[in-house]
Amino acid sequence: MLRICSSDCLRLASSSYGLTGGIASGKSTVSNLFKASGIPVVDADVIARNVLKKGSGGWKRVVAAFGEEILLPSREVDRPKLAHMVFSSDSNRQLLNKLMAPYISTGIFLEILKQWGKGAKVIVVDIPLLFEAKMDKWTKPIVVVWVSRETQLKRLMERDGLSREDAGSRVMAQMSLDLKRCKADVVIENNGDLDHLDQQFSMVLSEIRRPLTWTEFWRSRQGAFSVLGLVTSGLFFCKRFSY
């Protein structure tokens, strides 16, 4: 069932929506629904892949920390091997996050600025570790795609061919979805089928696209820029005609 804490949180015209969930929760499906609806999505996973490209600053730091055994013959990072090392060790996971965080954060902010420059009024920022990386401070509202733990384990085992033990280790390596749900402004429950998910997404999308009231407009980035423009113009004309 869809849960929206307050419709006001969806009514800011220039919002950078934070989208998160957990492994095998269906977050990527929701992200693709936003893209298909014409809403730009800044994907932290795509940025992270670019950060680890051969020869990049992130690549150099990760290879220095984990050794060249994580590299393929092409010198690109063997991502499955690195993932196994990270999910099997809390210290490795924390180290990787620490090494990657500055590069990923910078990439996300630059992409957001690019979308704003293109005139986007709403941007979805898709970040798996939204809360863990403290990026929830920079996105509002926050949308969490939630599933029960049993559903999460079952889907992960089927998707990746993992044993229940390995799937459980990967789920436990992330912040629990129940805790993320408590921190969310909008919760999309994804225990059902795709039709059920589509219905919830459509409700969120219709609220986002509903025309702004005047109060909502003046609270938005567009409204703030309009006020700034009016004040600047007023000061210019006052100065011009004061001579």
Side-chain angles (χ1 to χ4, degrees):
M1 180 180 295
L2 178 71
R3 190 197 80 196
I4 300 177
C5 295
S6 170
S7 60
D8 291 342
C9 72
L10 295 177
R11 306 303 309 129
L12 303 180
S14 59
S15 294
S16 295
Y17 282 60
L19 173 64
T20 192
I23 189 169
S25 68
K27 174 190 63 64
S28 295
T29 301
V30 174
S31 181
N32 288 332
L33 289 172
F34 275 114
K35 293 176 187 176
S37 301
I39 294 177
V41 175
V42 176
D43 191 331
D45 281 341
V46 172
I47 292 171
R49 285 196 289 272
N50 291 333
V51 164
L52 271 183
K53 282 186 176 179
K54 182 175 67 175
S56 67
W59 179 90
K60 292 176 182 177
R61 294 191 69 184
V62 170
V63 172
F66 291 92
E68 295 201 357
E69 61 266 26
I70 66 168
L71 296 178
L72 296 166
S74 65
R75 306 287 292 173
E76 293 287 357
V77 172
D78 186 334
R79 296 177 188 276
K81 188 171 186 177
L82 180 60
H84 177 74
M85 294 174 65
V86 167
F87 281 116
S88 62
S89 168
D90 287 341
S91 59
N92 282 346
R93 184 172 65 256
Q94 291 170 8
L95 176 58
L96 181 64
N97 289 339
K98 182 179 179 180
L99 293 173
M100 297 280 284
Y103 297 98
I104 294 174
S105 297
T106 299
I108 288 171
F109 283 123
L110 289 175
E111 189 62 29
I112 290 174
L113 290 175
K114 183 195 297 185
Q115 294 299 332
W116 278 353
K118 292 179 179 179
K121 296 178 181 179
V122 174
I123 302 166
V124 172
V125 187
D126 180 349
I127 309 179
L129 301 180
L130 179 73
F131 297 110
E132 296 91 330
K134 311 298 183 185
M135 292 293 290
D136 54 307
K137 298 176 181 178
W138 306 102
T139 56
K140 192 70 176 177
I142 294 169
V143 180
V144 168
V145 183
W146 179 89
V147 293
S148 69
R149 179 178 171 80
E150 187 58 34
T151 298
Q152 189 178 20
L153 286 171
K154 181 180 178 182
R155 290 178 179 172
L156 182 56
M157 291 164 63
E158 291 176 351
R159 189 190 74 184
D160 293 354
L162 299 175
S163 67
R164 188 175 183 86
E165 181 181 358
D166 287 342
S169 296
R170 297 204 173 196
V171 170
M172 289 297 294
Q174 299 181 339
M175 180 186 292
S176 76
L177 282 174
D178 287 341
L179 181 54
K180 290 184 179 184
R181 177 173 59 176
C182 293
K183 295 174 176 286
D185 298 297
V186 180
V187 177
I188 297 178
E189 181 267 304
N190 189 29
N191 283 319
D193 57 19
L194 283 175
D195 287 339
H196 178 63
L197 181 62
D198 281 338
Q199 291 172 10
Q200 294 180 85
F201 176 79
S202 295
M203 292 171 64
V204 173
L205 189 64
S206 64
E207 189 66 25
I208 291 172
R209 287 178 166 172
R210 180 168 60 83
L212 296 173
T213 66
W214 279 108
T215 299
E216 291 164 347
F217 174 78
W218 293 119
R219 291 171 56 198
S220 71
R221 178 167 55 90
Q222 279 183 303
F225 284 163
S226 297
V227 170
L228 180 61
L230 289 171
V231 171
T232 302
S233 299
L235 290 174
F236 172 78
F237 282 110
C238 286
K239 183 176 180 180
R240 181 176 181 181
F241 287 107
S242 64
Y243 290 105

